[in-house]
Amino acid sequence: MFDLQDELKKLPDLPGVYIMHDKSDAIIYVGKAVSLRKRVRQYFQPSHNEGIKKKQMVEHIARFEYIITDSELEALVLECNLIKEHCPKYNTMLRDDKSYPYIRVTVGETYPRVLFARQMKKDKSRYFGPYTSAGAVKDTIDLINKIYRLRTCNRNLPRDIGMDRPCLNYHIHQCEAPCQGYISKEEYAEKINGVLEFLGGNYGPVLRDLEDKMNNASMEMEFEKAIEYRELLNSVKQIAQKQKITNTDGEDKDIIALAADDVDAVVQVFFVRGGKIIGRDHFHVRVGTDETRNDILATFMKQFYSGTPFIPREIIVQEVIEEASVLEAWLGNKRGTKVTLHTPQKGMKNKLVDLAARNAEMILNQDKEKIKREEGRTIGAVKEIEELLGMKGLNRMEAFDISNTNGFETVGSMVVYEKGKPKRSDYRKFKLRTITGPDDYASMHEVLTRRFLHGMEEREQMKERELSEEYGSFNRFPDIIMMDGGRGQVNICLQVLEELGLDIPVCGMVKDDNHRTRGLYYNNIEIPIDRHSEAFKLITRIQDEAHRFAIEYHRSLRSKAQVKSVLDDIPGIGPARRKALMRKFQSLENIRNASVEELMQVDGMNQTVAEAVYQFFKNATEF
């Protein structure tokens, strides 16, 4: 039993992180403190007022725990990690989970390539970016390869020079074929130096070279070449014009500004690289309990820079951050060199901050309705389901489905929805091991048993090795299991849970004779659903997703050996008749649509076997 007053007395006067739990033991808030004793006690003092929202949070606290650290900096790092992992209800949360691409030049290779990269790794390559548009990065790489005619293959050069014929790119004049030794290392290195200058923002040499080539081709009456050079020239000019010069210091910096109301906030970030704005992006933030603008900016920076591989030397912020020194130390450790937070009062930097703030305000106003609609489709739909079932705290939903063709290659799927959105990283596939033939109930029993046994094993391993929840994906059990069907499927699931000693609510998604969702089966009662409600739409999406995922896996298995597996399961079909069938009809789809008479025209086929083939595909529910 958690004794609040007794636990408050035990709090140490040390820096650390505190974690608030509700009565269902869910984590609802994570915070850091220079002194855990002073900070945590404040929440429970009657005279202390931190606003209505925080008061509501305190009313839901059933217990708290804490982790002491050696410094406030360590507490900040731990706080970031815990918030990112648990997404507590009352914390300010960055809604977007974006990553930014880079252009990678593999200068460590003898014949370097220019590649698209999602991460900046510690290797011998040169990285440019990050950029805000993956499409723009791909277009730039295509342009570079057209101008400089670099190799795009994965051959190991110079080891593999002359070992194979040049590829199509050589024949269409898009590569100088270093794989054949047609260009020397020195000549190729000059091209790469040009690429590095181009990516560094020095477009002059490329523009002059393309203009000279265009004019020479025109003078020599080679108009097709002249048009090609003109198009390349225009493409380079477009890229050059997109990069606005902000100052002449050539530094990397981010400019951050905020627009907020009581519930939502938008943070606008301008990315300046080498003294040029290379792009901008905005981020929607869920405002936590009575967070000030200063708090929102600080929390955003913690979450944003904990997930991005690149941190600039200077970060220009709209307002002075109270914990700036701790943030600078943390960011400096991540970058490897000093990082400065700066709030300008005048000049070009201040104008850019104002511009970012105006952009954030505009996006917040434009996207309010969009955000509300999205939350209605997801969180709102989950709340409707909670009301229908008389439950609370539904966050993670898992749904299962079975797919087979007359029992051939039976597979199961598990899809996961959290807060009304699919969490695809937790999807799982099951290839049935013990069931033969089209027995959906037995197949579902095996799938569910394997899923929860695996989860229980992971939990035991976590306890033994003191591992975090990130150790595995099966250890997180659902708040509710959504079965695609009625009483039969629900009872199979309840039987598995009883056998394993687990207590998890199970709900059936019941369909009518036309295979359309009509209600939920829960606690031996079928509950009707309004077909126009968001709950109905979410349930339909979950059903469709589980079905799609199972079918895709089943098809992938069949495609590997479908001729051997599907046709050989038919009595009377051996290798010779299988080959004859495929030679005659070209595909399984054509065989399936053939009549008995058409099947009998195949070499070596008699009426008995033809009828067996016809009946097999007629009875197949999936193909």
Side-chain angles (χ1 to χ4, degrees), residues 39 50 77 86 113 229 275 321 466 496 561 566 605 622:
R39 183 69 185 116
E50 293 206 44
V77 175
H86 298 288
R113 296 166 293 160
Y229 290 131
I321 305 296
E466 297 182 351
V496 170
V566 175
M605 189 76 70
E622 283 298 336

Side-chain angles (χ1 to χ4, degrees), residues 143 214 226-236:
L143 178 61
M214 179 184 70
I227 291 171
E228 181 183 343
Y229 290 131
R230 185 189 68 189
E231 290 177 349
L232 290 174
L233 185 65
N234 289 336
S235 297
V236 175

Side-chain angles (χ1 to χ4, degrees), residues 19-142:
I19 305 163
M20 304 298 195
H21 295 257
D22 63 13
K23 62 181 180 182
S24 64
D25 211 34
I27 294 175
I28 59 174
Y29 190 78
V30 174
K32 71 170 180 62
V34 178
S35 168
L36 286 167
R37 176 181 296 169
K38 294 175 183 177
R39 183 69 185 116
V40 177
R41 282 182 173 183
Q42 285 180 344
Y43 287 99
F44 304 98
Q45 291 174 357
S47 60
H48 187 68
N49 182 19
E50 293 206 44
I52 297 172
K53 289 183 180 178
K54 195 148 284 187
K55 182 180 177 183
Q56 291 173 346
M57 181 197 78
V58 173
E59 290 173 355
H60 287 89
I61 296 174
R63 71 177 184 92
F64 64 81
E65 58 180 319
Y66 54 87
I67 303 169
I68 60 172
T69 58
D70 288 333
S71 65
E72 188 181 1
L73 176 60
E74 284 188 11
L76 185 147
V77 175
L78 181 57
E79 179 196 31
C80 288
N81 293 337
L82 290 174
I83 290 174
K84 192 171 183 179
E85 182 178 349
H86 298 288
C87 301
K89 179 179 179 180
Y90 290 100
N91 277 98
T92 293
M93 288 299 301
L94 178 61
R95 295 177 188 270
D96 309 84
D97 186 14
K98 302 178 182 179
S99 63
Y100 296 97
Y102 294 82
I103 294 176
R104 176 188 175 207
V105 185
T106 60
V107 292
E109 296 178 330
T110 306
Y111 294 92
R113 296 166 293 160
V114 180
L115 305 172
F116 179 97
R118 276 290 177 190
Q119 294 180 328
M120 186 167 61
K121 299 180 180 178
K122 292 183 179 179
D123 53 21
K124 295 180 180 179
S125 300
R126 283 278 304 277
Y127 288 86
F128 295 85
Y131 299 94
T132 56
S133 168
V137 169
K138 291 173 183 176
D139 290 343
T140 303
I141 292 172
D142 288 342

Side-chain angles (χ1 to χ4, degrees), residues 396 414-416 418 423-428 473 476:
R396 183 182 174 97
M414 166 184 143
V415 300
V416 179
E418 288 191 354
K423 189 178 182 183
R424 292 184 174 85
S425 60
D426 281 7
Y427 284 17
R428 291 296 178 266
S473 58
R476 294 193 61 199

Side-chain angles (χ1 to χ4, degrees), residues 502-516:
L502 297 174
D503 183 17
I504 301 172
V506 183
C507 178
M509 300 178 287
V510 185
K511 293 183 178 181
D512 59 21
D513 295 337
N514 295 318
H515 211 64
R516 294 178 303 187

Side-chain angles (χ1 to χ4, degrees), residues 549-597:
F549 194 54
I551 287 177
E552 281 189 1
Y553 181 41
H554 189 229
R555 282 176 180 161
S556 71
L557 292 178
R558 291 201 314 269
S559 66
K560 294 175 183 177
Q562 63 178 357
V563 173
K564 175 182 179 299
S565 302
V566 175
L567 293 180
D568 284 1
D569 276 359
I570 304 172
I573 297 296
R577 282 176 173 158
R578 185 184 72 231
K579 289 178 183 177
L581 280 166
M582 291 304 296
R583 191 162 50 243
K584 171 74 173 176
F585 294 102
Q586 299 299 312
S587 72
L588 289 175
E589 183 66 32
N590 291 337
I591 297 172
R592 179 179 191 171
N593 295 329
S595 64
V596 174
E597 291 73 19

